[in-house]
Amino acid sequence: MTKSIREEKLPVSSLSFLPLEGIRTFTEALSVGVLLVDAEGVLYHVNQAAQLLHQGSSIPRAGFPLADFSPHDWVEVKKVLATGIPQVCSLLRLPMATVLVSRMPVRHNGGTAGVITMMQDINNFNAVVHEFPEYQNIVREFETVVDQFEDVFLSLNRRGEVRHVNSAYEKLILLGRQGLVGRHIEDIQRSPRNLVSLFKQASESRKRVTMPVALPTGQVFQGCATPSFDDSGNLFRVMLQLKHPAPSPAEPETKTSVSAAPKPSLPSAELQRLCNASGFTIHSSVMNQVVQQALKVSKTSSCVLITGESGVGKTMLASLIHNNSSRSSRPFVVINCGAIPEQLLESELFGYEKGAFTGASAHGKMGLIETADKGTLFLDEIGELQYSLQSKLLEVFEKKSFIRVGGTRRTSVDIRILAATNKNLAEEVEKGNFRRDLFYRLNVIPLAIPPLRERPEDVRAMIDQLIEQYNTQNSASKKMSPELLHWLLRYPFRGNMRELINIMEWLLVMSEGDTLGLHDLPARLQQEYQLTEQARVEHVSLPDITQPAGSSARLPALPEIEEGRLSLKDALAAFEKSYLERAMERYGSIQAVSEALDVHFSTLWRKLVKYHLVQKHAAQEKKYVP
């Protein structure tokens, strides 16, 4: 059926003059991915290597529009079709690989009949380049030099992908070099979050940027990001450095000169009291650092941009800043830019004069911005603010005044502006969804709140606090069983604080006895727990090949090896296949196996393809899809 559809579509293609069988025979022998797209944007041919590179997303198929599978790729292909100008060696990020792409026009009868796209995994490309001896020697010299330093060094390309790290960074996050190079800095979960902020600020400002970087261990490093530019002035590299905290010198004048970034510790009782007054609890050193920064900036009038996933407590942190500022006795006005309908947002923000529009109040109306006069205006979900209103908000920043809807005179306001978003505003700027000038006015003091799953100390503290509150309010004596507490501390809390509060309310209200157990969890979480336990019981633990000889850990039994019927090479391959097969069963995803076994994603992917484990894993997933 598929073949007949393809045969019906292809003859009308602008590339039908090409011999399809010859192209298929030639391209299937290549290790690089090849896509042939005709002038209408329809895929004429896709080889197997290209389909493998697209794993994790919609797999492109011949006879269907490229835009259905890879909209970004189609945008670039259209440029080549329109101009006839080839694109050489550009990067394209796919769900499971970053590929180096070249797009060449296919000429026919004096015009552009289509585009041939060739793509190669960037890590494979790097492996080929490293084979050149002279280049290899330069790389070794560079690695030898930077590995001598105790400071952490990372080199990122302009997209934020890791090009090189030194041994100090490997030790810091306990992940080998092969598991780092080629990955985006945002995708490395164990890496300090402030490194992302350092990279973005240096990239956007095109200047050297320094800021304190807190580690989950409680240490604070002095971070520095230095951008590099090519001869044309284009950014091509950003060097990140983390300097170890220097020991306190004896001289008093030097003591004060380096104390800009206080060493974070567990939150003090006073700090916890301040946080409780704003509605949240902290016990982790990483949140202690964020709150310390918030308290420091609360004494100023600077604009603060708070970033973090939905539910991490951005509004609470904004409240903390306001409550500890000189404006604390004045209004704290919260505006959720994503909750007010677009057609009402302008009049709600800026107010309107009488008769401004049909249905308007006869006396006009004061806007929310005006009600925050002398106080603090908190713009939550600022990334949702419609583009047409962004220029008017920028005017409030610059002129400290605005014009009501339907009005002609300016209204002056004295407000401090705080903003929050769970979006990457820098990316929104590049997409054209957010004004660059407004972004720079907002992003004066960036504060990033880490997700709850990265601070289990706060999870435990919130659980204890919620149980205590419930017991006090309801004269109860509820307590948490060790098994339930252990499971909750490992739960990812994708909804962060909101999800934790939701789960705890269910447990406290719906439980029958005084001891909260796993059986009291909501149905969806009980199912998740049972699947986890079933997987743990059913799947044999992976053998620990690092165990010394004679220990209890044993390699999987391979009769062929015991009978001597396999060469050493084949025996190692058989063991590797068995090991990876068990790893896929145990961890469930290629990304999880990559991190657990400390092997680079692309290396793991090639081995899984080699042993036909990708197809097997995909078939198993499909089998269990309801």
Short mmCIF file of all heavy atoms in Angstrom, two decimals, residues 372-411:
data_model
loop_
_atom_site.label_atom_id
_atom_site.label_comp_id
_atom_site.label_asym_id
_atom_site.label_seq_id
_atom_site.Cartn_x
_atom_site.Cartn_y
_atom_site.Cartn_z
N ALA A 372 -0.51 50.55 41.66
CA ALA A 372 0.75 50.17 42.29
C ALA A 372 1.64 51.38 42.58
O ALA A 372 2.79 51.21 42.99
CB ALA A 372 1.50 49.18 41.39
N ASP A 373 1.12 52.59 42.37
CA ASP A 373 1.93 53.80 42.58
C ASP A 373 2.54 53.81 43.99
O ASP A 373 1.85 53.53 44.97
CB ASP A 373 1.05 55.03 42.37
CG ASP A 373 1.86 56.32 42.31
OD1 ASP A 373 3.02 56.25 41.85
OD2 ASP A 373 1.35 57.36 42.73
N LYS A 374 3.81 54.13 44.06
CA LYS A 374 4.62 54.16 45.30
C LYS A 374 4.92 52.75 45.83
O LYS A 374 5.59 52.60 46.85
CB LYS A 374 3.91 54.96 46.41
CG LYS A 374 3.60 56.40 46.04
CD LYS A 374 4.85 57.24 45.94
CE LYS A 374 4.53 58.72 45.77
NZ LYS A 374 3.81 59.02 44.53
N GLY A 375 4.41 51.71 45.15
CA GLY A 375 4.63 50.34 45.60
C GLY A 375 5.37 49.52 44.56
O GLY A 375 6.21 50.02 43.82
N THR A 376 5.04 48.22 44.51
CA THR A 376 5.72 47.26 43.62
C THR A 376 4.71 46.64 42.67
O THR A 376 3.64 46.21 43.09
CB THR A 376 6.40 46.15 44.44
OG1 THR A 376 7.33 46.74 45.37
CG2 THR A 376 7.16 45.19 43.56
N LEU A 377 5.07 46.59 41.40
CA LEU A 377 4.24 45.94 40.38
C LEU A 377 4.94 44.65 39.97
O LEU A 377 6.08 44.66 39.51
CB LEU A 377 4.08 46.85 39.16
CG LEU A 377 3.27 46.28 37.99
CD1 LEU A 377 1.80 46.15 38.38
CD2 LEU A 377 3.41 47.16 36.75
N PHE A 378 4.26 43.52 40.16
CA PHE A 378 4.83 42.22 39.80
C PHE A 378 4.12 41.68 38.58
O PHE A 378 2.92 41.39 38.61
CB PHE A 378 4.69 41.24 40.97
CG PHE A 378 5.17 39.85 40.64
CD1 PHE A 378 6.42 39.63 40.09
CD2 PHE A 378 4.36 38.74 40.90
CE1 PHE A 378 6.87 38.35 39.78
CE2 PHE A 378 4.79 37.46 40.61
CZ PHE A 378 6.05 37.27 40.04
N LEU A 379 4.84 41.56 37.48
CA LEU A 379 4.30 41.08 36.21
C LEU A 379 4.63 39.60 36.08
O LEU A 379 5.73 39.22 35.66
CB LEU A 379 4.88 41.88 35.04
CG LEU A 379 4.59 43.38 35.05
CD1 LEU A 379 5.43 44.10 34.02
CD2 LEU A 379 3.11 43.64 34.80
N ASP A 380 3.68 38.76 36.46
CA ASP A 380 3.89 37.31 36.37
C ASP A 380 3.60 36.85 34.94
O ASP A 380 2.76 37.43 34.25
CB ASP A 380 2.96 36.61 37.36
CG ASP A 380 3.38 35.18 37.62
OD1 ASP A 380 4.49 34.79 37.19
OD2 ASP A 380 2.61 34.44 38.26
N GLU A 381 4.31 35.80 34.51
CA GLU A 381 4.18 35.26 33.15
C GLU A 381 4.35 36.38 32.11
O GLU A 381 3.55 36.51 31.17
CB GLU A 381 2.82 34.56 32.96
CG GLU A 381 2.54 33.46 33.97
CD GLU A 381 3.55 32.32 33.94
OE1 GLU A 381 4.32 32.23 32.97
OE2 GLU A 381 3.59 31.54 34.90
N ILE A 382 5.40 37.17 32.27
CA ILE A 382 5.65 38.30 31.37
C ILE A 382 5.86 37.84 29.93
O ILE A 382 5.60 38.58 28.99
CB ILE A 382 6.88 39.11 31.87
CG1 ILE A 382 7.07 40.39 31.07
CG2 ILE A 382 8.14 38.27 31.82
CD1 ILE A 382 6.02 41.42 31.28
N GLY A 383 6.28 36.59 29.76
CA GLY A 383 6.48 36.06 28.41
C GLY A 383 5.19 35.92 27.62
O GLY A 383 5.22 35.77 26.40
N GLU A 384 4.04 35.97 28.31
CA GLU A 384 2.73 35.87 27.63
C GLU A 384 2.19 37.23 27.20
O GLU A 384 1.14 37.30 26.57
CB GLU A 384 1.71 35.20 28.56
CG GLU A 384 2.12 33.85 29.11
CD GLU A 384 2.29 32.81 28.02
OE1 GLU A 384 1.60 32.94 26.98
OE2 GLU A 384 3.11 31.90 28.19
N LEU A 385 2.88 38.31 27.55
CA LEU A 385 2.38 39.65 27.22
C LEU A 385 2.39 39.85 25.71
O LEU A 385 3.41 39.65 25.05
CB LEU A 385 3.27 40.72 27.89
CG LEU A 385 2.80 42.17 27.75
CD1 LEU A 385 1.49 42.38 28.50
CD2 LEU A 385 3.86 43.13 28.28
N GLN A 386 1.24 40.26 25.17
CA GLN A 386 1.15 40.40 23.72
C GLN A 386 2.12 41.48 23.21
O GLN A 386 2.40 42.47 23.89
CB GLN A 386 -0.28 40.72 23.30
CG GLN A 386 -0.85 42.00 23.89
CD GLN A 386 -2.36 42.07 23.73
OE1 GLN A 386 -3.09 41.42 24.45
NE2 GLN A 386 -2.82 42.86 22.77
N TYR A 387 2.63 41.24 22.02
CA TYR A 387 3.71 42.07 21.47
C TYR A 387 3.30 43.54 21.37
O TYR A 387 4.11 44.44 21.63
CB TYR A 387 4.11 41.54 20.09
CG TYR A 387 5.45 42.03 19.61
CD1 TYR A 387 6.62 41.33 19.92
CD2 TYR A 387 5.57 43.19 18.85
CE1 TYR A 387 7.85 41.78 19.49
CE2 TYR A 387 6.81 43.64 18.42
CZ TYR A 387 7.94 42.93 18.74
OH TYR A 387 9.16 43.37 18.32
N SER A 388 2.06 43.80 21.03
CA SER A 388 1.62 45.18 20.83
C SER A 388 1.66 45.99 22.11
O SER A 388 1.77 47.23 22.08
CB SER A 388 0.20 45.19 20.25
OG SER A 388 -0.70 44.52 21.12
N LEU A 389 1.56 45.32 23.28
CA LEU A 389 1.57 46.04 24.55
C LEU A 389 2.99 46.19 25.12
O LEU A 389 3.20 46.95 26.06
CB LEU A 389 0.70 45.32 25.58
CG LEU A 389 -0.81 45.37 25.37
CD1 LEU A 389 -1.52 44.67 26.51
CD2 LEU A 389 -1.29 46.81 25.27
N GLN A 390 3.94 45.45 24.57
CA GLN A 390 5.29 45.49 25.11
C GLN A 390 5.93 46.86 24.96
O GLN A 390 6.66 47.32 25.84
CB GLN A 390 6.15 44.41 24.44
CG GLN A 390 5.73 43.00 24.82
CD GLN A 390 6.49 41.94 24.06
OE1 GLN A 390 7.56 42.18 23.50
NE2 GLN A 390 5.92 40.73 24.00
N SER A 391 5.66 47.55 23.85
CA SER A 391 6.24 48.89 23.66
C SER A 391 5.65 49.88 24.66
O SER A 391 6.35 50.77 25.15
CB SER A 391 5.97 49.37 22.22
OG SER A 391 4.58 49.39 21.95
N LYS A 392 4.37 49.71 24.98
CA LYS A 392 3.74 50.61 25.94
C LYS A 392 4.28 50.37 27.35
O LYS A 392 4.44 51.31 28.14
CB LYS A 392 2.22 50.42 25.91
CG LYS A 392 1.44 51.59 26.51
CD LYS A 392 -0.02 51.55 26.13
CE LYS A 392 -0.75 52.75 26.74
NZ LYS A 392 -2.18 52.77 26.39
N LEU A 393 4.57 49.10 27.67
CA LEU A 393 5.17 48.79 28.97
C LEU A 393 6.59 49.35 29.03
O LEU A 393 7.03 49.85 30.08
CB LEU A 393 5.18 47.28 29.19
CG LEU A 393 5.75 46.80 30.53
CD1 LEU A 393 4.94 47.36 31.70
CD2 LEU A 393 5.76 45.27 30.59
N LEU A 394 7.31 49.27 27.93
CA LEU A 394 8.67 49.83 27.87
C LEU A 394 8.64 51.33 28.16
O LEU A 394 9.54 51.88 28.81
CB LEU A 394 9.29 49.55 26.50
CG LEU A 394 10.72 50.03 26.29
CD1 LEU A 394 11.69 49.27 27.19
CD2 LEU A 394 11.13 49.84 24.82
N GLU A 395 7.57 51.98 27.71
CA GLU A 395 7.40 53.42 27.95
C GLU A 395 7.27 53.70 29.45
O GLU A 395 7.79 54.70 29.95
CB GLU A 395 6.14 53.89 27.21
CG GLU A 395 6.09 55.38 26.96
CD GLU A 395 4.88 55.75 26.11
OE1 GLU A 395 3.75 55.38 26.49
OE2 GLU A 395 5.06 56.39 25.06
N VAL A 396 6.62 52.80 30.18
CA VAL A 396 6.50 52.97 31.63
C VAL A 396 7.87 52.90 32.28
O VAL A 396 8.19 53.65 33.20
CB VAL A 396 5.56 51.89 32.22
CG1 VAL A 396 5.48 52.02 33.74
CG2 VAL A 396 4.16 52.00 31.61
N PHE A 397 8.71 51.98 31.78
CA PHE A 397 10.08 51.87 32.29
C PHE A 397 10.86 53.16 32.09
O PHE A 397 11.53 53.66 32.99
CB PHE A 397 10.82 50.74 31.55
CG PHE A 397 10.69 49.39 32.19
CD1 PHE A 397 9.81 48.45 31.68
CD2 PHE A 397 11.45 49.04 33.29
CE1 PHE A 397 9.69 47.21 32.25
CE2 PHE A 397 11.34 47.79 33.87
CZ PHE A 397 10.46 46.87 33.35
N GLU A 398 10.78 53.68 30.87
CA GLU A 398 11.68 54.76 30.47
C GLU A 398 11.16 56.14 30.90
O GLU A 398 11.96 57.01 31.27
CB GLU A 398 11.90 54.72 28.96
CG GLU A 398 12.65 53.45 28.54
CD GLU A 398 12.82 53.35 27.04
OE1 GLU A 398 12.08 54.06 26.31
OE2 GLU A 398 13.68 52.57 26.59
N LYS A 399 9.86 56.35 30.86
CA LYS A 399 9.32 57.68 31.14
C LYS A 399 8.61 57.77 32.49
O LYS A 399 8.20 58.86 32.90
CB LYS A 399 8.35 58.11 30.03
CG LYS A 399 9.03 58.22 28.66
CD LYS A 399 8.04 58.67 27.60
CE LYS A 399 8.71 58.81 26.24
NZ LYS A 399 7.75 59.22 25.19
N LYS A 400 8.47 56.61 33.17
CA LYS A 400 7.76 56.58 34.45
C LYS A 400 6.36 57.20 34.33
O LYS A 400 5.85 57.81 35.25
CB LYS A 400 8.54 57.33 35.54
CG LYS A 400 9.95 56.81 35.76
CD LYS A 400 9.92 55.39 36.30
CE LYS A 400 11.34 54.88 36.57
NZ LYS A 400 11.34 53.45 36.98
N SER A 401 5.77 57.02 33.16
CA SER A 401 4.43 57.55 32.92
C SER A 401 3.79 56.78 31.77
O SER A 401 4.47 56.04 31.06
CB SER A 401 4.48 59.05 32.57
OG SER A 401 5.17 59.25 31.36
N PHE A 402 2.47 56.97 31.59
CA PHE A 402 1.76 56.27 30.52
C PHE A 402 0.49 57.05 30.19
O PHE A 402 0.13 58.01 30.89
CB PHE A 402 1.40 54.84 30.94
CG PHE A 402 0.50 54.78 32.13
CD1 PHE A 402 -0.89 54.74 31.99
CD2 PHE A 402 1.02 54.79 33.42
CE1 PHE A 402 -1.73 54.71 33.09
CE2 PHE A 402 0.18 54.75 34.52
CZ PHE A 402 -1.19 54.71 34.36
N ILE A 403 -0.18 56.65 29.11
CA ILE A 403 -1.44 57.29 28.70
C ILE A 403 -2.54 56.24 28.78
O ILE A 403 -2.40 55.14 28.25
CB ILE A 403 -1.33 57.85 27.27
CG1 ILE A 403 -0.22 58.90 27.19
CG2 ILE A 403 -2.67 58.43 26.83
CD1 ILE A 403 0.04 59.40 25.79
N ARG A 404 -3.63 56.59 29.46
CA ARG A 404 -4.75 55.67 29.55
C ARG A 404 -5.36 55.42 28.17
O ARG A 404 -5.22 56.23 27.26
CB ARG A 404 -5.84 56.25 30.47
CG ARG A 404 -5.51 56.23 31.95
CD ARG A 404 -6.70 56.78 32.73
NE ARG A 404 -6.51 56.72 34.17
CZ ARG A 404 -7.43 57.06 35.04
NH1 ARG A 404 -8.63 57.49 34.61
NH2 ARG A 404 -7.20 56.97 36.35
N VAL A 405 -6.07 54.30 28.04
CA VAL A 405 -6.77 53.99 26.79
C VAL A 405 -7.82 55.08 26.55
O VAL A 405 -8.62 55.39 27.46
CB VAL A 405 -7.46 52.61 26.86
CG1 VAL A 405 -8.28 52.34 25.61
CG2 VAL A 405 -6.41 51.52 27.06
N GLY A 406 -7.81 55.67 25.37
CA GLY A 406 -8.76 56.73 25.03
C GLY A 406 -8.39 58.08 25.60
O GLY A 406 -9.15 59.05 25.44
N GLY A 407 -7.23 58.20 26.26
CA GLY A 407 -6.83 59.47 26.87
C GLY A 407 -5.77 60.19 26.05
O GLY A 407 -5.27 59.68 25.04
N THR A 408 -5.41 61.39 26.50
CA THR A 408 -4.39 62.19 25.80
C THR A 408 -3.30 62.66 26.77
O THR A 408 -2.20 62.98 26.33
CB THR A 408 -5.04 63.42 25.14
OG1 THR A 408 -5.78 64.15 26.13
CG2 THR A 408 -5.98 62.99 24.02
N ARG A 409 -3.59 62.73 28.05
CA ARG A 409 -2.60 63.23 28.99
C ARG A 409 -1.87 62.07 29.66
O ARG A 409 -2.39 60.97 29.80
CB ARG A 409 -3.26 64.10 30.05
CG ARG A 409 -4.23 63.40 30.95
CD ARG A 409 -4.84 64.31 32.01
NE ARG A 409 -5.73 63.58 32.89
CZ ARG A 409 -5.33 62.91 33.96
NH1 ARG A 409 -4.03 62.89 34.27
NH2 ARG A 409 -6.19 62.27 34.73
N ARG A 410 -0.64 62.37 30.08
CA ARG A 410 0.21 61.36 30.71
C ARG A 410 -0.07 61.27 32.21
O ARG A 410 -0.29 62.28 32.86
CB ARG A 410 1.69 61.67 30.49
CG ARG A 410 2.12 61.44 29.06
CD ARG A 410 3.64 61.34 28.93
NE ARG A 410 3.97 60.71 27.67
CZ ARG A 410 4.06 59.40 27.48
NH1 ARG A 410 3.85 58.58 28.50
NH2 ARG A 410 4.33 58.90 26.31
N THR A 411 -0.03 60.06 32.71
CA THR A 411 -0.17 59.81 34.14
C THR A 411 1.17 59.32 34.67
O THR A 411 1.69 58.31 34.18
CB THR A 411 -1.26 58.75 34.41
OG1 THR A 411 -2.50 59.19 33.86
CG2 THR A 411 -1.41 58.50 35.90
#
